């Protein structure tokens, strides 16, 4: 029998200080990779990919560039929309499973590139597609300390470098992107309302080699064991079971109902998973914005792609948002925010 998993159970908020979104940013590479392009080298078709994933195209980063090269423009846009300078940041959290290199830190690289001299750099690694939701929880708790007023959270992944170009089972899913958000204090009653997190050890989505258990060797490289390996049916089962359950737990803890929520912002892994989760909650898809059709699964950046677009389109104070993600591990979680639009902040329909 499968274990129920471990669950982190907070009080209604568990926070003494209200924390919310102050501004967001997004970067996607210029290169568009369509299903038709992938079908030229893989045993697949546009119809097969679209029917099973909802993905029609994704973005790939140009050769010679790395994850931090996406983080920087996303971060600069978030700072611009927030109206603060990089030197005003107290911490920078970067969550990614595809860092520029094992060492040094990607967060330090981003801090240096931004000129954020005061910020503490933190990397959240090995949380894969759940990285965005975990980073937001860490940022909210950092902001409970007197030393922290502005925390930049960046989710970024270069999935095109982590997938085997010959593997239809993974190559069609992943794209490259970086998303960023600045968090800070907001008036009482706004910001984080509640959250729910859980985990269960599972190796069905994994990168088998490159760590201390199986260090890099010519043999592991030849076997392609440094690429993502994914058991599709297992990933579907976990996502469709845990995402709606976590969302319901989060709402219960806030004393809210599904009908109170304006938008459900889910990890953009697969359109069918999002549709299934919304069906389980009894929610129409017009309350679940998506980017997966255009960007694919951008892993740690995924939540931030849909959050950014939602805040641009619907920035009004009072919007109730539920963010939820799940990733390899298995790690999952959800957070409920009541948005507070900062004066002079995001403007509906603002041009880039």
């Amino acid at each position: 029998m499968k274990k129920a998993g471990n669950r982190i159970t907070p009080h209604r908020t568990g926070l003494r200080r209200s924390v919310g979104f102050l501004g967001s940013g997004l970067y996607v590479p210029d290169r568009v990779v369509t299903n038709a392009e992938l079908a030229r080298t893989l045993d697949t078709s546009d119809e097969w990919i679209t029917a099973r994933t909802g993905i029609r195209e994704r973005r790939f980063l140009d050769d010679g560039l790395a994850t931090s090269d996406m983080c920087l423009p996303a971060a600069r846009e978030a700072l611009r929309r927030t109206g603060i300078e990089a030197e005003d940041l107290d911490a920078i959290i970067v969550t990614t499973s595809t860092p520029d290199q094992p060492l040094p830190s990607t967060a330090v690289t981003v801090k240096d590139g931004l000129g954020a001299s005061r910020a503490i750099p933190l990397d959240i690694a090995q949380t894969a597609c759940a990285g965005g939701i975990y980073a937001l929880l860490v940022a909210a708790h950092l902001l409970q300390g007197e030393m922290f007023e502005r925390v930049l959270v960046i989710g970024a992944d270069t999935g095109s470098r982590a997938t085997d170009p010959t593997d239809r089972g993974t190559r069609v899913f992943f794209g490259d992107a970086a998303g960023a958000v600045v968090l800070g204090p907001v008036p009482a009653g706004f910001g984080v309302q509640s959250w729910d997190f859980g985990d269960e050890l599972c190796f069905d989505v994994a990168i088998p080699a490159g760590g201390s258990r199986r260090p890099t060797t010519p043999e592991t490289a030849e076997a392609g064991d440094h690429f993502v390996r994914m058991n599709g049916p297992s990933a579907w089962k976990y996502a469709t079971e845990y995402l709606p359950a976590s969302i319901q737990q989060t709402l219960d803890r806030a004393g809210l109902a599904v009908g109170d929520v304006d938008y459900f912002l889910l990890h953009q892994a697969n359109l069918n998973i999002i549709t299934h989760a919304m069906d389980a909650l009894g929610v129409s898809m017009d309350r679940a914005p998506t980017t997966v059709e255009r960007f694919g699964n951008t892993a740690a950046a995924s939540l931030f792609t849909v959050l950014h677009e939602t805040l641009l389109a619907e920035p009004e104070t009072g919007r109730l948002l539920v963010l939820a993600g799940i990733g390899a591990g298995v790690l999952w979680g959800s957070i409920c925010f009541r948005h507070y639009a900062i004066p002079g902040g995001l403007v509906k329909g603002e041009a880039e």
Side-chain angles (χ1 to χ4, degrees):
M1 181 179 294
K2 185 168 68 65
K3 298 183 296 181
N6 306 305
R7 190 174 293 280
I8 302 168
T9 306
H11 299 293
R12 179 168 175 176
T13 66
L15 305 177
R16 66 170 183 81
R17 187 189 213 188
S18 298
V19 174
F21 302 123
L22 306 184
S24 64
L26 176 65
Y27 176 82
V28 293
D30 292 333
R31 183 188 170 197
V32 177
V33 178
T34 64
N35 292 343
E37 179 177 340
L38 293 179
R40 295 185 197 121
T41 57
L42 296 172
D43 180 18
T44 188
S45 67
D46 176 47
E47 294 77 16
W48 188 94
I49 299 169
T50 302
R52 286 161 177 77
T53 71
I55 300 168
R56 297 185 180 277
E57 61 186 37
R58 71 286 294 148
R59 305 294 184 95
F60 281 4
L61 190 63
D62 288 341
D63 293 343
L65 298 177
T67 296
S68 67
D69 294 308
M70 298 191 294
C71 292
L72 288 168
R76 291 185 180 115
E77 182 182 7
L79 292 172
R80 177 177 64 81
R81 293 188 183 279
T82 308
I84 69 171
E85 301 296 328
E87 61 191 24
D88 297 323
L89 292 171
D90 299 302
I92 297 172
I93 300 173
V94 175
T95 177
T96 183
S97 295
T98 54
D100 289 11
Q101 55 196 68
L103 291 173
S105 152
T106 303
V108 172
T109 303
V110 172
K111 170 183 174 172
D112 182 75
L114 291 176
S117 57
R118 296 193 306 109
I120 295 173
L122 300 172
D123 294 88
I124 296 182
Q126 296 185 293
T127 47
C129 300
I133 203 79
Y134 272 76
L136 290 173
L137 184 70
V138 171
H141 282 78
L142 279 180
L143 285 160
Q144 303 311 298
E146 294 180 358
M147 293 177 60
F148 297 91
E149 292 290 328
R150 300 287 184 268
V151 176
L152 173 66
V153 175
I154 305 171
D157 266 306
T158 313
S160 63
R161 310 278 171 83
T163 51
D164 183 344
T166 68
D167 179 15
R168 179 183 70 173
T170 58
R171 189 66 170 176
V172 301
F173 282 95
F174 292 94
D176 306 338
V181 66
V182 178
L183 278 77
V186 294
F190 293 95
V192 178
Q193 305 294 302
S194 59
W195 68 84
D196 172 79
F197 281 75
D199 59 86
E200 180 178 328
L201 181 62
C202 177
F203 292 88
D204 285 346
V205 180
I207 297 177
S212 60
R213 188 175 300 280
R214 293 186 62 200
T216 300
T217 65
E219 290 75 23
T220 61
E222 177 67 24
D225 288 340
H226 302 278
F227 293 127
V228 172
R229 298 285 184 248
M230 181 167 64
N231 179 326
S234 174
W236 169 273
K237 184 176 186 301
Y238 277 110
T240 55
E241 177 180 350
Y242 287 137
L243 279 178
S246 181
I247 289 169
Q248 189 62 63
Q249 286 279 354
T250 292
L251 291 173
D252 290 347
R253 288 171 184 156
L256 296 166
V258 168
D260 296 324
V261 179
D262 291 292
Y263 294 109
F264 295 85
L265 311 180
L266 273 61
H267 167 46
Q268 304 290 297
N270 181 318
L271 184 61
N272 295 331
I273 288 175
I274 298 170
T275 301
H276 188 283
M278 292 299 95
D279 286 345
L281 292 166
V283 176
S284 64
M285 280 297 290
D286 61 359
R287 292 163 60 197
T290 60
T291 59
V292 66
E293 303 95 327
R294 292 171 285 128
F295 301 149
N297 180 352
T298 55
S302 168
L303 276 180
F304 299 103
T305 65
V306 71
L307 173 63
H308 176 71
E309 292 194 352
T310 300
L311 291 180
L312 283 183
E314 301 283 350
E316 292 84 356
T317 290
R319 297 288 187 190
L320 198 64
L321 310 174
V322 172
L323 284 70
I326 188 166
V330 177
L331 304 167
W332 68 88
S334 55
I335 305 179
C336 178
F337 284 84
R338 189 174 296 280
H339 184 54
Y340 178 79
I342 60 173
L346 297 170
V347 177
K348 185 173 183 178
E350 181 180 351
E352 294 298 318

